[in-house]
Amino acid sequence: MSNGKHIPKVAVITRTKDRGLLLERAIKSVHQQTMEDFVHVIINDAGDPAIVEDLVKKHEQLIRGRVKIIHNTESRGMEAASNKAIKSVDSTFIAIHDDDDTWHPDFLKATTERLEDNGMQGVVVTTDRVVEDIIDDVVHIKLVERWLPWAKAINFYSMCIDNYATPITFLYRRAVYDKIGYYDENLPVLGDWDFALRFIRLHDIDFINSDTALAYYHHRPNVKGINGNSVFAGIDKHEYYLNQVANKFLREDLQRGSLGFGYMFSHLRAQRDNRRDMERQLEKIECQTQQLNQQVEEVRRTLGERTTGAHIKSLYRIAKKVPRLTLHKVKNTIKKAGRI
C-alpha cells in the first residue's frame, strides 16, 4: 500500500498492433488467472485504437477494471513499448505476455508464490511450444510439444546459446528491471534475450520444473504479415541484431581490459554457427552421395544387360566424381558437425 492506494502484485504487459484475433486470446489468458492481484497494461503501438478498445469493452465482465490501455500515436517498437508500459504502473513483479502467446491459469500463482517463498529475483516455467496456422481468421493448432525439453535449470552458460527466458515464460522482480537499465530500445528484435542476459549476469533465475506446462509459446512459421512471429517473419533481422548484441557485450569486455561474458557469448555463438555450417555441408555431401549411388546402380544394371562405349563413358564420368567424396572427407565433416 502507498498513500492508501493498492499496488498490484504483478504488472502484466501486452504489446500489440492490429492483431485483434490474437489479442483477444491473450486477454482471456491473462484474465483467467487464478491469482488475480495484477494490472494488465495493453500498449497499442500505433495500431487501430478501436481494436483494443472494443475487445476490452467486450470482455469487461472478465477484466473487472484491471486493464490500463496506452495508445502510441507513432510506432516506437517492442522494447520502447515495454518500457513505457512498465513505467506507467507500479507493482512488485513484472511479466511480459505478448499478444500471441498464452498462459496456464496457474502461471501467476505458481511464479509469484515461488519468488515469495525463496526470495529469488526471477523465475522461468516449464513451457510448451504450440505450432499453429491461421486460415480464414481461425487459429488451427497443428502441434504441441515441450519447448527446450532438456531444461532443468536456467544456466548462465546455456543462456548464451538459447534464450531460456522468452517473455511468456518469465516473471521477475521490478527492482531488477530498474537496476539493469530497462529493455534496450535500440533493438527492434531480440530485446528480451538481451534483457535476460543482463539479468542473469547479476542474478540467478529460478526454474519451475513441472509435468504440466505453465506457459505456451505459440509459433506460426507459415504465417506472414501482421499475424506472423517476428522470429519467423523477420529471420534476417534476428540474425543482424544478434550480431549487434554479441558485439556490444564483447566491446564491454574490451573496455574493461579483460575477456569475460562478452567473449563467452561471442565464442559460443561462433561455435554454434560453425556447427550449423558443417551440418549443412554434411547434408549436401549425403545428397551428392545418394545421387552418385543411384547413378552407379543405373550403370550396373545397364552393364548387366550389355556394354557399349557410351556406358563405359558414363562409368568413367561417375568415377571422376568419387575423389571429391572420399571417405576421409565425409568422416572429417561428420566429426566437425559433432555427429560421431
Side-chain angles (χ1 to χ4, degrees), residues 17-80:
K17 182 180 180 180
D18 293 333
R19 303 210 296 188
L21 177 67
L22 300 174
L23 177 61
E24 183 168 22
R25 182 176 69 182
I27 289 173
K28 292 177 182 178
S29 169
V30 173
H31 292 272
Q32 289 172 349
Q33 290 294 299
T34 55
M35 199 291 285
E36 300 181 337
D37 187 9
F38 62 84
V39 57
H40 185 195
V41 184
I42 302 176
I43 181 157
N44 171 32
D45 195 30
D48 182 356
I51 293 175
V52 179
E53 299 285 351
D54 290 347
L55 284 173
V56 170
K57 184 176 181 180
K58 177 181 178 181
H59 296 286
E60 59 185 355
Q61 291 187 342
L62 177 64
I63 289 169
R64 304 198 315 273
R66 291 173 296 173
V67 162
K68 177 176 183 176
I69 301 174
I70 300 174
H71 295 295
N72 283 344
T73 55
E74 295 183 2
S75 179
R76 299 178 55 200
M78 289 191 295
E79 310 318 329

Side-chain angles (χ1 to χ4, degrees), residues 74-277:
E74 295 183 2
S75 179
R76 299 178 55 200
M78 289 191 295
E79 310 318 329
S82 295
N83 289 333
K84 184 175 182 179
I86 291 169
K87 293 174 184 178
S88 74
V89 294
D90 201 358
S91 65
T92 303
F93 303 105
I94 296 169
I96 306 290
H97 188 308
D98 281 333
D99 65 358
D100 60 342
D101 293 323
T102 54
W103 280 335
H104 184 282
D106 288 334
F107 174 89
L108 287 181
K109 180 177 185 294
T111 53
T112 55
E113 286 182 355
R114 175 63 71 92
L115 294 188
E116 288 171 339
D117 287 344
N118 64 21
M120 292 184 68
Q121 303 301 307
V123 61
V124 166
V125 302
T126 297
T127 301
D128 278 350
R129 182 176 81 112
V130 181
V131 180
E132 60 192 17
D133 206 350
I134 298 177
I135 303 172
D136 297 328
D137 288 331
V138 177
V139 177
H140 299 270
I141 295 176
K142 301 167 67 177
L143 173 69
V144 179
E145 62 183 3
R146 189 57 35 100
W147 172 248
L148 302 174
W150 51 84
K152 304 302 179 186
I154 305 303
N155 179 273
F156 193 156
Y157 190 84
S158 298
M159 275 282 288
C160 293
I161 302 172
D162 286 302
N163 184 11
Y164 287 74
T166 52
I168 197 63
T169 73
F170 190 25
L171 178 136
Y172 57 88
R173 294 183 185 273
R174 176 182 289 269
V176 182
Y177 170 81
D178 294 329
K179 184 177 181 180
I180 66 176
Y182 315 137
Y183 290 93
D184 188 344
E185 299 183 8
N186 294 315
L187 295 173
V189 293
L190 296 174
D192 56 316
W193 195 0
D194 170 81
F195 181 85
L197 287 166
R198 287 185 283 123
F199 191 110
I200 203 168
R201 287 167 70 177
L202 296 180
H203 300 287
D204 284 334
I205 298 174
D206 198 7
F207 182 68
I208 297 178
N209 189 7
S210 57
D211 292 334
T212 300
L214 292 174
Y216 305 98
Y217 188 21
H218 293 253
H219 287 180
R220 292 171 301 286
N222 297 320
V223 177
K224 307 298 181 184
I226 196 69
N227 285 321
N229 295 94
S230 64
V231 69
F232 295 111
I235 189 67
D236 291 338
K237 185 182 289 186
H238 271 72
E239 292 300 321
Y240 176 80
Y241 283 99
L242 179 57
N243 183 62
Q244 288 202 359
V245 170
N247 288 344
K248 177 183 73 172
F249 290 141
L250 187 55
R251 278 193 293 270
E252 290 176 358
D253 275 4
L254 296 174
Q255 288 169 1
R256 286 193 300 268
S258 63
L259 295 180
F261 171 74
Y263 173 77
M264 180 174 69
F265 183 72
S266 296
H267 181 64
L268 289 173
R269 298 305 304 174
Q271 281 188 323
R272 184 172 190 175
D273 290 345
N274 289 338
R275 181 188 178 95
R276 287 176 173 173
D277 288 343

